[in-house]
mmCIF file of all heavy atoms in Angstrom:
data_model
loop_
_atom_site.group_PDB
_atom_site.id
_atom_site.type_symbol
_atom_site.label_atom_id
_atom_site.label_comp_id
_atom_site.label_asym_id
_atom_site.label_seq_id
_atom_site.Cartn_x
_atom_site.Cartn_y
_atom_site.Cartn_z
ATOM 1 N N LEU A 22 -7.032 11.824 4.982
ATOM 2 C CA LEU A 22 -6.235 10.888 4.182
ATOM 3 C C LEU A 22 -6.240 9.496 4.801
ATOM 4 O O LEU A 22 -6.280 8.482 4.104
ATOM 5 C CB LEU A 22 -4.792 11.387 4.052
ATOM 6 C CG LEU A 22 -4.545 12.555 3.096
ATOM 7 C CD1 LEU A 22 -3.120 13.065 3.253
ATOM 8 C CD2 LEU A 22 -4.794 12.144 1.647
ATOM 9 N N GLN A 23 -6.227 9.442 6.130
ATOM 10 C CA GLN A 23 -6.195 8.154 6.809
ATOM 11 C C GLN A 23 -7.532 7.418 6.759
ATOM 12 O O GLN A 23 -7.578 6.213 7.024
ATOM 13 C CB GLN A 23 -5.768 8.344 8.269
ATOM 14 C CG GLN A 23 -4.293 8.659 8.422
ATOM 15 C CD GLN A 23 -3.909 8.843 9.879
ATOM 16 O OE1 GLN A 23 -4.369 9.764 10.548
ATOM 17 N NE2 GLN A 23 -3.072 7.955 10.378
ATOM 18 N N THR A 24 -8.604 8.129 6.442
ATOM 19 C CA THR A 24 -9.918 7.479 6.421
ATOM 20 C C THR A 24 -10.438 7.223 5.007
ATOM 21 O O THR A 24 -11.449 6.565 4.834
ATOM 22 C CB THR A 24 -10.955 8.345 7.171
ATOM 23 O OG1 THR A 24 -11.050 9.633 6.547
ATOM 24 C CG2 THR A 24 -10.550 8.528 8.619
ATOM 25 N N MET A 25 -9.733 7.739 3.988
ATOM 26 C CA MET A 25 -10.171 7.547 2.605
ATOM 27 C C MET A 25 -9.911 6.114 2.148
ATOM 28 O O MET A 25 -9.096 5.401 2.730
ATOM 29 C CB MET A 25 -9.436 8.538 1.678
ATOM 30 C CG MET A 25 -9.843 9.990 1.884
ATOM 31 S SD MET A 25 -8.759 11.173 1.006
ATOM 32 C CE MET A 25 -9.010 10.684 -0.695
ATOM 33 N N LEU A 26 -10.612 5.704 1.092
ATOM 34 C CA LEU A 26 -10.365 4.404 0.478
ATOM 35 C C LEU A 26 -9.211 4.528 -0.507
ATOM 36 O O LEU A 26 -9.158 5.487 -1.290
ATOM 37 C CB LEU A 26 -11.623 3.900 -0.232
ATOM 38 C CG LEU A 26 -12.837 3.639 0.665
ATOM 39 C CD1 LEU A 26 -14.030 3.208 -0.182
ATOM 40 C CD2 LEU A 26 -12.516 2.563 1.707
ATOM 41 N N TRP A 27 -8.322 3.539 -0.507
ATOM 42 C CA TRP A 27 -7.127 3.585 -1.358
ATOM 43 C C TRP A 27 -6.988 2.288 -2.154
ATOM 44 O O TRP A 27 -6.061 1.510 -1.915
ATOM 45 C CB TRP A 27 -5.874 3.822 -0.509
ATOM 46 C CG TRP A 27 -5.890 5.126 0.220
ATOM 47 C CD1 TRP A 27 -6.163 5.330 1.524
ATOM 48 C CD2 TRP A 27 -5.633 6.415 -0.345
ATOM 49 N NE1 TRP A 27 -6.093 6.663 1.834
ATOM 50 C CE2 TRP A 27 -5.772 7.350 0.696
ATOM 51 C CE3 TRP A 27 -5.311 6.868 -1.628
ATOM 52 C CZ2 TRP A 27 -5.605 8.718 0.507
ATOM 53 C CZ3 TRP A 27 -5.132 8.223 -1.829
ATOM 54 C CH2 TRP A 27 -5.280 9.132 -0.783
ATOM 55 N N PRO A 28 -7.859 2.050 -3.129
ATOM 56 C CA PRO A 28 -7.727 0.824 -3.930
ATOM 57 C C PRO A 28 -6.436 0.790 -4.736
ATOM 58 O O PRO A 28 -5.926 -0.283 -5.060
ATOM 59 C CB PRO A 28 -8.958 0.857 -4.843
ATOM 60 C CG PRO A 28 -9.375 2.298 -4.878
ATOM 61 C CD PRO A 28 -9.040 2.840 -3.523
ATOM 62 N N GLY A 29 -5.881 1.974 -5.059
ATOM 63 C CA GLY A 29 -4.618 2.034 -5.801
ATOM 64 C C GLY A 29 -3.401 2.132 -4.910
ATOM 65 O O GLY A 29 -2.271 2.265 -5.397
ATOM 66 N N ASN A 30 -3.623 2.122 -3.574
ATOM 67 C CA ASN A 30 -2.546 2.093 -2.589
ATOM 68 C C ASN A 30 -1.545 3.241 -2.727
ATOM 69 O O ASN A 30 -1.952 4.381 -2.953
ATOM 70 C CB ASN A 30 -1.851 0.726 -2.640
ATOM 71 C CG ASN A 30 -2.707 -0.353 -2.013
ATOM 72 O OD1 ASN A 30 -2.989 -0.318 -0.823
ATOM 73 N ND2 ASN A 30 -3.135 -1.304 -2.824
ATOM 74 N N ILE A 31 -0.260 2.946 -2.561
ATOM 75 C CA ILE A 31 0.772 3.989 -2.517
ATOM 76 C C ILE A 31 0.820 4.778 -3.809
ATOM 77 O O ILE A 31 1.013 6.005 -3.812
ATOM 78 C CB ILE A 31 2.146 3.351 -2.204
ATOM 79 C CG1 ILE A 31 2.114 2.728 -0.807
ATOM 80 C CG2 ILE A 31 3.260 4.378 -2.290
ATOM 81 C CD1 ILE A 31 3.346 1.927 -0.449
ATOM 82 N N ARG A 32 0.620 4.099 -4.933
ATOM 83 C CA ARG A 32 0.633 4.781 -6.229
ATOM 84 C C ARG A 32 -0.483 5.824 -6.288
ATOM 85 O O ARG A 32 -0.293 6.953 -6.757
ATOM 86 C CB ARG A 32 0.466 3.740 -7.337
ATOM 87 C CG ARG A 32 0.725 4.257 -8.740
ATOM 88 C CD ARG A 32 0.539 3.122 -9.738
ATOM 89 N NE ARG A 32 1.432 2.000 -9.473
ATOM 90 C CZ ARG A 32 1.056 0.731 -9.516
ATOM 91 N NH1 ARG A 32 -0.194 0.411 -9.794
ATOM 92 N NH2 ARG A 32 1.933 -0.216 -9.287
ATOM 93 N N GLN A 33 -1.673 5.465 -5.811
ATOM 94 C CA GLN A 33 -2.807 6.384 -5.806
ATOM 95 C C GLN A 33 -2.553 7.551 -4.855
ATOM 96 O O GLN A 33 -2.862 8.709 -5.173
ATOM 97 C CB GLN A 33 -4.081 5.646 -5.400
ATOM 98 C CG GLN A 33 -5.327 6.520 -5.378
ATOM 99 C CD GLN A 33 -6.532 5.777 -4.804
ATOM 100 O OE1 GLN A 33 -6.440 4.605 -4.430
ATOM 101 N NE2 GLN A 33 -7.657 6.458 -4.721
ATOM 102 N N LEU A 34 -1.968 7.272 -3.680
ATOM 103 C CA LEU A 34 -1.671 8.334 -2.716
ATOM 104 C C LEU A 34 -0.719 9.360 -3.324
ATOM 105 O O LEU A 34 -0.931 10.580 -3.171
ATOM 106 C CB LEU A 34 -1.058 7.727 -1.450
ATOM 107 C CG LEU A 34 -0.568 8.716 -0.389
ATOM 108 C CD1 LEU A 34 -1.703 9.570 0.127
ATOM 109 C CD2 LEU A 34 0.115 7.970 0.767
ATOM 110 N N LYS A 35 0.306 8.898 -4.022
ATOM 111 C CA LYS A 35 1.248 9.840 -4.640
ATOM 112 C C LYS A 35 0.543 10.697 -5.690
ATOM 113 O O LYS A 35 0.797 11.913 -5.788
ATOM 114 C CB LYS A 35 2.415 9.083 -5.277
ATOM 115 C CG LYS A 35 3.463 10.012 -5.884
ATOM 116 C CD LYS A 35 4.663 9.248 -6.423
ATOM 117 C CE LYS A 35 5.707 10.216 -6.976
ATOM 118 N NZ LYS A 35 6.898 9.505 -7.508
ATOM 119 N N ASN A 36 -0.347 10.098 -6.472
ATOM 120 C CA ASN A 36 -1.080 10.858 -7.486
ATOM 121 C C ASN A 36 -1.954 11.927 -6.841
ATOM 122 O O ASN A 36 -2.060 13.056 -7.349
ATOM 123 C CB ASN A 36 -1.936 9.919 -8.338
ATOM 124 C CG ASN A 36 -1.122 9.024 -9.244
ATOM 125 O OD1 ASN A 36 0.055 9.296 -9.498
ATOM 126 N ND2 ASN A 36 -1.718 7.955 -9.732
ATOM 127 N N VAL A 37 -2.614 11.587 -5.728
ATOM 128 C CA VAL A 37 -3.463 12.555 -5.031
ATOM 129 C C VAL A 37 -2.627 13.722 -4.513
ATOM 130 O O VAL A 37 -2.995 14.897 -4.664
ATOM 131 C CB VAL A 37 -4.229 11.868 -3.883
ATOM 132 C CG1 VAL A 37 -4.851 12.904 -2.947
ATOM 133 C CG2 VAL A 37 -5.311 10.953 -4.433
ATOM 134 N N VAL A 38 -1.474 13.415 -3.903
ATOM 135 C CA VAL A 38 -0.596 14.462 -3.387
ATOM 136 C C VAL A 38 -0.124 15.372 -4.518
ATOM 137 O O VAL A 38 -0.137 16.612 -4.399
ATOM 138 C CB VAL A 38 0.611 13.837 -2.654
ATOM 139 C CG1 VAL A 38 1.656 14.902 -2.328
ATOM 140 C CG2 VAL A 38 0.151 13.146 -1.377
ATOM 141 N N GLU A 39 0.279 14.778 -5.638
ATOM 142 C CA GLU A 39 0.748 15.579 -6.775
ATOM 143 C C GLU A 39 -0.362 16.480 -7.293
ATOM 144 O O GLU A 39 -0.131 17.660 -7.606
ATOM 145 C CB GLU A 39 1.258 14.658 -7.885
ATOM 146 C CG GLU A 39 1.872 15.415 -9.058
ATOM 147 C CD GLU A 39 2.543 14.479 -10.057
ATOM 148 O OE1 GLU A 39 2.474 13.245 -9.871
ATOM 149 O OE2 GLU A 39 3.141 14.997 -11.025
ATOM 150 N N ARG A 40 -1.573 15.956 -7.395
ATOM 151 C CA ARG A 40 -2.709 16.748 -7.887
ATOM 152 C C ARG A 40 -2.974 17.943 -6.977
ATOM 153 O O ARG A 40 -3.196 19.066 -7.442
ATOM 154 C CB ARG A 40 -3.949 15.858 -7.970
ATOM 155 C CG ARG A 40 -5.173 16.542 -8.577
ATOM 156 C CD ARG A 40 -6.400 15.655 -8.455
ATOM 157 N NE ARG A 40 -6.086 14.267 -8.774
ATOM 158 C CZ ARG A 40 -6.785 13.235 -8.341
ATOM 159 N NH1 ARG A 40 -7.836 13.414 -7.558
ATOM 160 N NH2 ARG A 40 -6.453 12.013 -8.692
ATOM 161 N N VAL A 41 -2.942 17.718 -5.660
ATOM 162 C CA VAL A 41 -3.189 18.798 -4.707
ATOM 163 C C VAL A 41 -2.118 19.879 -4.818
ATOM 164 O O VAL A 41 -2.423 21.079 -4.789
ATOM 165 C CB VAL A 41 -3.245 18.230 -3.269
ATOM 166 C CG1 VAL A 41 -3.222 19.360 -2.244
ATOM 167 C CG2 VAL A 41 -4.496 17.380 -3.082
ATOM 168 N N LEU A 42 -0.853 19.471 -4.964
ATOM 169 C CA LEU A 42 0.231 20.450 -5.067
ATOM 170 C C LEU A 42 0.154 21.258 -6.354
ATOM 171 O O LEU A 42 0.492 22.447 -6.382
ATOM 172 C CB LEU A 42 1.584 19.745 -4.969
ATOM 173 C CG LEU A 42 1.907 19.078 -3.625
ATOM 174 C CD1 LEU A 42 3.264 18.394 -3.696
ATOM 175 C CD2 LEU A 42 1.878 20.089 -2.485
ATOM 176 N N ILE A 43 -0.300 20.619 -7.435
ATOM 177 C CA ILE A 43 -0.403 21.317 -8.722
ATOM 178 C C ILE A 43 -1.576 22.291 -8.720
ATOM 179 O O ILE A 43 -1.463 23.443 -9.166
ATOM 180 C CB ILE A 43 -0.545 20.309 -9.880
ATOM 181 C CG1 ILE A 43 0.763 19.530 -10.075
ATOM 182 C CG2 ILE A 43 -0.928 21.012 -11.177
ATOM 183 C CD1 ILE A 43 0.650 18.387 -11.059
ATOM 184 N N LEU A 44 -2.722 21.851 -8.205
ATOM 185 C CA LEU A 44 -3.946 22.658 -8.288
ATOM 186 C C LEU A 44 -4.133 23.597 -7.103
ATOM 187 O O LEU A 44 -4.952 24.516 -7.169
ATOM 188 C CB LEU A 44 -5.168 21.727 -8.385
ATOM 189 C CG LEU A 44 -5.211 20.802 -9.607
ATOM 190 C CD1 LEU A 44 -6.453 19.918 -9.557
ATOM 191 C CD2 LEU A 44 -5.193 21.607 -10.898
ATOM 192 N N GLY A 45 -3.393 23.376 -6.010
ATOM 193 C CA GLY A 45 -3.589 24.171 -4.807
ATOM 194 C C GLY A 45 -3.100 25.604 -4.968
ATOM 195 O O GLY A 45 -2.289 25.931 -5.843
ATOM 196 N N ASP A 46 -3.585 26.460 -4.099
ATOM 197 C CA ASP A 46 -3.196 27.875 -4.117
ATOM 198 C C ASP A 46 -2.252 28.160 -2.956
ATOM 199 O O ASP A 46 -2.513 27.760 -1.818
ATOM 200 C CB ASP A 46 -4.433 28.779 -3.990
ATOM 201 C CG ASP A 46 -5.369 28.615 -5.188
ATOM 202 O OD1 ASP A 46 -4.852 28.469 -6.307
ATOM 203 O OD2 ASP A 46 -6.609 28.635 -4.982
ATOM 204 N N GLY A 47 -1.171 28.856 -3.242
ATOM 205 C CA GLY A 47 -0.267 29.289 -2.196
ATOM 206 C C GLY A 47 0.598 28.186 -1.643
ATOM 207 O O GLY A 47 0.663 27.075 -2.168
ATOM 208 N N ASN A 48 1.264 28.530 -0.516
ATOM 209 C CA ASN A 48 2.195 27.603 0.114
ATOM 210 C C ASN A 48 1.787 27.238 1.539
ATOM 211 O O ASN A 48 2.595 26.718 2.301
ATOM 212 C CB ASN A 48 3.602 28.217 0.127
ATOM 213 C CG ASN A 48 4.156 28.399 -1.283
ATOM 214 O OD1 ASN A 48 4.169 27.453 -2.061
ATOM 215 N ND2 ASN A 48 4.594 29.609 -1.598
ATOM 216 N N GLY A 49 0.545 27.535 1.890
ATOM 217 C CA GLY A 49 0.085 27.244 3.241
ATOM 218 C C GLY A 49 -0.227 25.780 3.428
ATOM 219 O O GLY A 49 0.058 24.932 2.586
ATOM 220 N N GLU A 50 -0.816 25.471 4.579
ATOM 221 C CA GLU A 50 -1.158 24.093 4.898
ATOM 222 C C GLU A 50 -2.117 23.491 3.879
ATOM 223 O O GLU A 50 -3.007 24.176 3.369
ATOM 224 C CB GLU A 50 -1.835 24.027 6.280
ATOM 225 C CG GLU A 50 -0.890 24.025 7.443
ATOM 226 C CD GLU A 50 -1.626 23.711 8.740
ATOM 227 O OE1 GLU A 50 -2.878 23.743 8.745
ATOM 228 O OE2 GLU A 50 -0.953 23.417 9.737
ATOM 229 N N ILE A 51 -1.931 22.214 3.582
ATOM 230 C CA ILE A 51 -2.903 21.469 2.770
ATOM 231 C C ILE A 51 -4.076 21.133 3.695
ATOM 232 O O ILE A 51 -3.899 20.533 4.758
ATOM 233 C CB ILE A 51 -2.280 20.180 2.207
ATOM 234 C CG1 ILE A 51 -1.144 20.515 1.230
ATOM 235 C CG2 ILE A 51 -3.332 19.327 1.515
ATOM 236 C CD1 ILE A 51 -0.372 19.302 0.749
ATOM 237 N N THR A 52 -5.278 21.536 3.279
ATOM 238 C CA THR A 52 -6.463 21.310 4.104
ATOM 239 C C THR A 52 -7.298 20.170 3.536
ATOM 240 O O THR A 52 -7.139 19.774 2.367
ATOM 241 C CB THR A 52 -7.326 22.577 4.173
ATOM 242 O OG1 THR A 52 -7.788 22.895 2.845
ATOM 243 C CG2 THR A 52 -6.515 23.752 4.715
ATOM 244 N N ALA A 53 -8.212 19.672 4.348
ATOM 245 C CA ALA A 53 -9.056 18.554 3.935
ATOM 246 C C ALA A 53 -9.895 18.891 2.715
ATOM 247 O O ALA A 53 -10.134 18.041 1.860
ATOM 248 C CB ALA A 53 -9.956 18.125 5.093
ATOM 249 N N ARG A 54 -10.343 20.147 2.619
ATOM 250 C CA ARG A 54 -11.230 20.494 1.508
ATOM 251 C C ARG A 54 -10.528 20.464 0.147
ATOM 252 O O ARG A 54 -11.177 20.455 -0.892
ATOM 253 C CB ARG A 54 -11.867 21.864 1.731
ATOM 254 C CG ARG A 54 -10.924 23.049 1.603
ATOM 255 C CD ARG A 54 -11.635 24.369 1.801
ATOM 256 N NE ARG A 54 -12.363 24.384 3.068
ATOM 257 C CZ ARG A 54 -13.219 25.348 3.407
ATOM 258 N NH1 ARG A 54 -13.476 26.327 2.567
ATOM 259 N NH2 ARG A 54 -13.812 25.320 4.583
ATOM 260 N N GLU A 55 -9.169 20.426 0.134
ATOM 261 C CA GLU A 55 -8.433 20.335 -1.134
ATOM 262 C C GLU A 55 -8.349 18.904 -1.645
ATOM 263 O O GLU A 55 -7.969 18.689 -2.801
ATOM 264 C CB GLU A 55 -7.015 20.878 -0.955
ATOM 265 C CG GLU A 55 -6.931 22.356 -0.643
ATOM 266 C CD GLU A 55 -5.498 22.815 -0.505
ATOM 267 O OE1 GLU A 55 -4.812 22.920 -1.545
ATOM 268 O OE2 GLU A 55 -5.048 23.020 0.639
#
C-alpha cells in the first residue's frame, strides 16, 4: 500500500480498502495479493 500510486489520494485508498473487505474471504489478515 505504501508503494502503490495514489492519484485519487485518500478517497482512492478508502475505495481500495472497501473493495478488499467486500471481495475478500474470511476474517484473516489482508495480504498483498488481495
